[in-house]
């Protein structure tokens, strides 16, 4: 899908253990994302992640590497920057969110293992 950078993983795919994914956005995806976010260019967008089942939840942890070009707010000249970052996300079933209030602390350093 152009302009996005996602992959679907079914809970059943994790029945035998964690899944490691290495993703690299295609030129079409990078172009669509650059347009969507008002960037001049996305030269690189890659991610490596581990997807794990934890009961009904799905835990995703990994890292990403991106190279983006944006317009300088003062001169409008293109400015390229590179970023590397790590992430950890917990996905919970929608039915569970509807059943009770869930507190999410984005600053918590939750152990995903």
């Amino acid at each position: 899908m152009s302009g996005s950078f996602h992959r679907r993983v079914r809970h059943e795919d994790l029945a035998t253990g964690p899944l490691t994914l290495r993703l690299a956005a295609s030129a079409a995806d990078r172009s669509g994302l650059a347009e969507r976010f008002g960037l001049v260019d996305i030269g690189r967008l890659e991610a490596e992640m581990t997807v794990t089942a934890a009961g009904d939840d799905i835990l995703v942890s990994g890292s990403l590497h991106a190279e983006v070009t944006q317009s300088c707010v003062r001169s409008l000249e293109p400015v390229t920057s590179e970023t590397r970052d790590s992430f950890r996300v917990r996905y919970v079933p929608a039915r569970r969110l509807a059943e009770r209030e869930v507190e999410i602390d984005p600053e918590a350093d939750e152990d995903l293992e």
Side-chain angles (χ1 to χ4, degrees):
M1 172 183 290
S2 184
S4 66
F5 185 54
H6 71 272
R7 303 297 181 266
R8 290 188 187 268
V9 175
R10 297 181 325 207
H11 202 277
E12 303 85 60
D13 297 336
L14 306 172
T16 59
L19 180 64
T20 299
L21 299 173
R22 290 177 184 85
L23 306 174
S26 69
D29 286 340
R30 293 191 318 270
S31 176
L33 287 166
E35 182 177 335
R36 178 178 168 189
F37 294 115
L39 299 169
V40 174
D41 185 47
I42 298 176
R44 171 187 296 217
L45 180 56
E46 300 171 344
E48 183 172 330
M49 65 200 75
T50 301
V51 184
T52 307
D56 286 343
D57 297 358
I58 294 180
L59 310 174
V60 183
S61 61
S63 61
L64 64 89
H65 180 202
E67 182 180 293
V68 300
T69 302
Q70 59 190 26
S71 296
C72 174
V73 296
R74 188 169 189 181
S75 68
L76 299 181
E77 292 293 317
V79 177
T80 301
S81 61
E82 183 176 5
T83 186
R84 294 177 188 269
D85 207 350
S86 60
F87 59 89
R88 299 187 327 167
V89 180
R90 175 184 295 266
Y91 293 96
V92 299
R95 65 176 156 67
R96 205 165 92 215
L97 291 175
E99 293 171 359
R100 63 183 168 86
E101 186 175 315
V102 176
E103 184 175 324
I104 300 173
D105 181 0
E107 299 300 319
D109 191 23
E110 182 180 354
D111 185 9
L112 297 178
E113 298 300 325

